[in-house]
């Protein structure tokens, strides 16, 4: 068998790492995470918060990530505290592969809140939701009905977040158990941002907030289970792959505008 040159061997190693999802350098020098000392947290540990709130673990001293997420989310009195609680949450392994938490963008207190799925590569780099190609399409969709995430006026502004705040490796769909432990934070996020109307972009947002998938059936039908009117819509990334579905997305945007105009 022919021997690989050093350059070929290095390239094969890099390709292999990219296939595993390590496609983004986080620093200039390698870090041995197994040798790194875990620093003490300034925030109370999730289990301390959970115990204080009276939640039992999953059994036999096992942590219960969903119960801990609920306790931590409920204890957050404002958006800054919620963000800190999410930074301190240690049960979601997606955090280990992401470069940072992607919390939100836009105008808190805006009439409309958009909830998407999870950050992709651009969002992970910039620390803001919906800044890549799908985000640019989302901005154009919102502009078509007079909304703008940069607007300071709550009537025209939009608040944008995701159900999952850390980029999944290779942009894979978040697993059900990951969604389950992040839902309490997303619910609290909606409560604290207090929009009049919530737009759920795609299946993961619907699964988390409504407990249902099947966006083709759900889209365009108003629901009020998350405690306020919410409208499931096709995800902009789906619209990029399926431009024919923009017709339905346009109908949903008009329904959103009509709802806002009627209030
Ligand atoms: N897709 C999402 O659901 N959210 C983002 O932030 C980017 C792409």
């Amino acid at each position: 068998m022919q021997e690989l040159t050093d350059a070929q061997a290095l390239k094969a190693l890099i390709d292999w790492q990219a296939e595993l999802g390590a496609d983004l350098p986080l620093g200039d020098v390698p870090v041995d995470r197994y040798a790194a000392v875990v620093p003490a947290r300034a925030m109370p540990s999730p289990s301390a918060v959970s115990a204080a709130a009276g939640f039992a673990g999953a059994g036999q001293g096992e942590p219960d990530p969903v119960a801990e997420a609920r306790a931590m989310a409920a204890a957050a009195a404002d958006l800054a505290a919620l963000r800190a609680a999410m930074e301190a949450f240690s049960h979601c392994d997606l955090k280990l592969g992401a470069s940072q938490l992607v919390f939100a963008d836009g105008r808190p207190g805006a009439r409309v809140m958009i909830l998407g799925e999870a950050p992709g590569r651009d969002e992970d780099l910039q620390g803001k939701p919906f800044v890549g190609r799908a985000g640019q399409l989302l901005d154009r969709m919102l502009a078509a009905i007079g909304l703008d995430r940069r607007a300071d006026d709550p009537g025209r502004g939009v608040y944008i977040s995701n159900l999952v705040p850390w980029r999944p490796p290779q942009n894979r769909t978040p697993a059900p158990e990951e969604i389950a432990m992040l839902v309490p934070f997303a619910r609290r996020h909606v409560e604290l941002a207090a929009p009049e109307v919530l737009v759920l972009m795609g299946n993961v947002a619907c699964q988390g907030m409504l407990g249902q998938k099947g966006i083709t059936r759900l889209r365009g039908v108003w629901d009020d289970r998350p405690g306020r009117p919410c409208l499931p819509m096709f995800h902009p990334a789906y619209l990029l792959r399926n431009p024919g579905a923009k017709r339905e997305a346009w109908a949903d945007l008009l329904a959103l505008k009509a709802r806002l105009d009627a209030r």
Side-chain angles (χ1 to χ4, degrees), residues 116-120 123 129-130 134 162 235:
E117 176 176 326
E123 291 77 19
F130 282 104
N162 283 309
H235 192 288

Side-chain angles (χ1 to χ4, degrees), residues 65 89-99 164-169 172 175 177-179 181-182:
F89 185 66
S90 59
H91 295 295
C92 184
D93 286 348
L94 293 176
K95 184 178 182 174
L96 304 177
S99 53
V164 171
W166 295 288
R167 180 195 180 193
R172 69 160 167 78
E177 59 277 15
E178 290 162 348
I179 295 176
M181 69 176 82
L182 295 168

Side-chain angles (χ1 to χ4, degrees), residues 102 115-124 128-135 138 160-164 201 204 235-237:
V102 175
L115 195 69
E117 176 176 326
R121 187 172 189 273
D122 295 315
E123 291 77 19
D124 180 69
K128 281 187 187 177
F130 282 104
V131 291
R133 276 185 71 220
L138 174 63
I160 303 181
S161 187
N162 283 309
L163 195 114
V164 171
M201 290 287 183
V204 169
H235 192 288

